């Protein structure tokens, strides 16, 4: 059986276990809501900003980068608790578990390094230097080439996932810091948000290194991004003003724009339900319904908490990171998709 098929089966098992977690703190919401909060998992001792997430489906784990706490936090969604805290990072931003390699790659903004951890023991295997000024951020995996891509200042750093070495053929962008980026599975392009360049999207061919630039019109601070590769649509969330902007990936032309909440740092596309979930730091998740590839409308703003900006979407669950506030510890909230 191919690795992608094994991963798909593992994700199904992971989702089923999450939605039946016996230790979940449940919260009732109207049945008509497109997202319903069903589980709150405390993350005691985690202070400061929570950045990006990854999943370890086979073991029912979520792992998130606790940037302000300089740690990775490993959450068992079935047991409803943090089962491991990995200290010693330097402002971790992006984190990625790769089932095929059974490794975890974590990008450190402060030190410009990537830490590689063993997937079974969580022990540090290697530290890969990307440069003090790289501001290492989001991490992605290309299964075909076995390469790990890391968003850095000036482009995308490239790591050989098997040998855990920097490949030496970094992909050059337009110069600013690379925020969220998405890879084509059926092609060779990487779409990269570069907000420092005034609302620019870099389109980089990771096979040839060719660079194309798309500029957003009357919108800046483009941080999160999601991709609907089947319909040739790219979803870019801006903060000034707060919008989801839909682009045609064939030519970069704008197709639609929909107002959303402010300060979003993660967005996900639900291909099964044709929805977009933008996690907005002002205190809600903006749910946008796709009627077809050219038409979109805001369906609901689902309440969260101020400062919730990142998370992860899997099948029937959208997880979000809730920073500590007052006497309340940091938490991971699980929103079920009921329809």
């Amino acid at each position: 059986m191919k690795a992608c098929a094994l991963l798909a089966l593992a994700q199904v098992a992971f989702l089923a276990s999450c939605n039946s977690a016996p230790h979940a703190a449940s919260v009732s919401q109207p049945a008509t809501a497109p997202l319903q909060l069903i589980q709150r998992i405390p993350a005691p001792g985690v202070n400061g900003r929570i950045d990006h997430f990854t999943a370890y489906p086979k073991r029912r784990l979520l792992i998130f980068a606790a940037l302000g706490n300089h740690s990775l936090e490993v959450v068992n969604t079935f047991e409803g608790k943090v089962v491991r805290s990995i200290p010693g990072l330097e402002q971790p931003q992006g984190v990625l578990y790769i089932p095929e390699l059974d490794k975890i790659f974590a990008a450190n903004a402060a030190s410009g390094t990537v830490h590689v951890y063993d997937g079974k023991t969580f022990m540090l295997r290697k530290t890969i230097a990307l440069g003090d000024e790289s501001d290492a951020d989001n991490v992605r995996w290309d299964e075909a080439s076995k390469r790990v891509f890391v968003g850095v200042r000036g482009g995308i750093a490239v790591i050989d996932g098997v040998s855990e070495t920097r490949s030496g053929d970094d992909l050059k962008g337009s110069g600013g810091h690379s925020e969220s980026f998405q890879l084509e599975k059926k092609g060779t392009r990487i779409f990269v948000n570069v907000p420092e360049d005034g609302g620019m999207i870099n389109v980089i061919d990771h096979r040839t290194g060719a660079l194309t630039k798309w500029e957003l019109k009357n919108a800046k601070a483009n941080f999160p991004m999601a991709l609907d590769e089947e319909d040739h649509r790219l979803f870019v969330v801006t903060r000034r003003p707060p919008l989801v902007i839909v682009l045609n990936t064939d030519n970069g032309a704008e197709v639609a724009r929909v107002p959303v909440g402010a300060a979003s740092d993660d967005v996900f596309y639900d291909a099964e339900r044709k929805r977009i979930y933008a996690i907005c730091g002002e205190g809600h998740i903006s749910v946008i319904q796709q009627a077809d590839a050219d038409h979109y409308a805001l369906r609901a703003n689902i309440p969260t908490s101020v400062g919730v900006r990142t998370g992860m979407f899997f099948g029937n669950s959208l997880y979000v990171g809730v920073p500590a506030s007052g006497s309340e510890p940091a938490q991971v909230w699980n929103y079920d998709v009921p329809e």
Side-chain angles (χ1 to χ4, degrees):
M1 186 178 291
K2 293 183 178 179
C4 57
L6 288 171
L7 177 56
L9 290 173
Q11 289 175 344
V12 170
F14 171 70
L15 293 168
S17 68
C18 292
N19 292 331
S20 60
H23 299 281
S26 61
V27 181
S28 61
Q29 287 186 343
T32 55
L35 294 171
Q36 296 183 24
L37 179 58
I38 62 169
Q39 184 184 29
R40 297 180 181 180
I41 303 172
V46 174
N47 298 307
R49 176 179 152 194
I50 294 175
D51 221 316
H52 300 294
F53 285 63
T54 191
Y56 196 153
K58 187 176 180 180
R59 290 174 59 185
R60 305 166 181 172
L61 302 179
L62 282 176
I63 304 170
F64 66 85
L67 182 148
N69 205 56
H70 304 289
S71 65
L72 295 182
E73 302 297 316
V74 184
V75 177
N76 186 306
T77 58
F78 183 77
E79 297 178 3
K81 65 180 183 181
V82 174
V83 294
R84 186 73 173 258
S85 182
I86 305 172
L89 290 91
E90 304 88 15
Q91 295 184 0
Q93 296 194 99
V95 58
L96 180 67
Y97 171 69
I98 303 174
E100 180 180 342
L101 304 178
D102 200 17
K103 299 175 185 177
I104 302 162
F105 290 77
N108 297 274
S111 62
T113 61
V114 173
H115 288 184
V116 185
Y117 296 92
D118 184 89
K120 292 184 176 65
T121 65
F122 300 111
M123 298 302 293
L124 181 65
R125 294 172 54 94
K126 192 170 184 178
T127 298
I128 303 168
L130 302 181
D132 293 342
E133 303 300 321
S134 65
D135 192 11
D137 202 330
N138 285 263
V139 186
R140 303 286 185 264
W141 166 244
D142 180 53
E143 184 178 359
S145 66
K146 312 302 180 190
R147 293 186 295 176
V148 176
F149 295 107
V150 184
V152 296
R153 184 168 300 281
I156 302 292
V158 184
I159 295 171
D160 184 301
V162 178
S163 65
E164 303 167 14
T165 57
R166 193 170 182 181
S167 69
D169 55 350
D170 288 357
L171 302 171
K172 301 300 181 183
S174 55
H177 177 255
S178 299
E179 286 290 338
S180 182
F181 61 97
Q182 298 295 327
L183 280 67
E184 290 181 319
K185 294 181 179 179
K186 299 179 180 179
T188 58
R189 293 182 299 174
I190 306 178
F191 304 97
V192 188
N193 270 336
V194 190
E196 288 182 354
D197 290 347
M200 186 74 67
I201 296 167
N202 289 339
V203 184
I204 307 173
D205 189 311
H206 63 77
R207 180 183 56 193
T208 66
L211 171 65
T212 303
K213 301 176 185 179
W214 294 344
E215 186 175 356
L216 299 172
K217 294 180 173 58
N218 302 315
K220 296 181 180 180
N222 48 316
F223 285 84
M225 172 189 288
L227 177 64
D228 173 10
E229 190 169 356
E230 288 299 319
D231 290 326
H232 303 259
R233 294 295 180 262
L234 186 68
F235 309 118
V236 176
V237 185
T238 60
R239 297 181 183 175
R240 300 198 303 270
L243 299 167
V244 166
I245 298 178
V246 184
L247 302 178
N248 185 328
T249 58
D250 292 333
N251 51 27
E254 182 175 321
V255 173
R257 56 175 57 192
V258 181
V260 294
S264 176
D265 204 27
D266 262 337
V267 63
F268 301 94
Y269 178 62
D270 181 347
E272 179 182 348
R273 300 167 187 87
K274 302 295 183 181
R275 292 180 192 160
I276 302 163
Y277 307 118
I279 305 173
C280 306
E282 69 174 339
H284 60 252
I285 303 163
S286 291
V287 181
I288 296 173
Q289 188 66 51
Q290 179 189 61
D292 56 47
D294 295 332
H295 298 91
Y296 303 80
L298 179 67
R299 174 169 173 178
N301 282 319
I302 305 299
T304 55
S305 181
V306 173
V308 174
R309 304 192 307 166
T310 57
M312 190 162 196
F313 174 68
F314 269 104
N316 291 323
S317 288
L318 176 64
Y319 296 92
V320 301
V322 183
S325 178
S327 61
E328 289 292 317
Q331 300 173 56
V332 174
W333 290 1
N334 175 7
Y335 286 83
D336 177 59
V337 184
E339 43 180 291

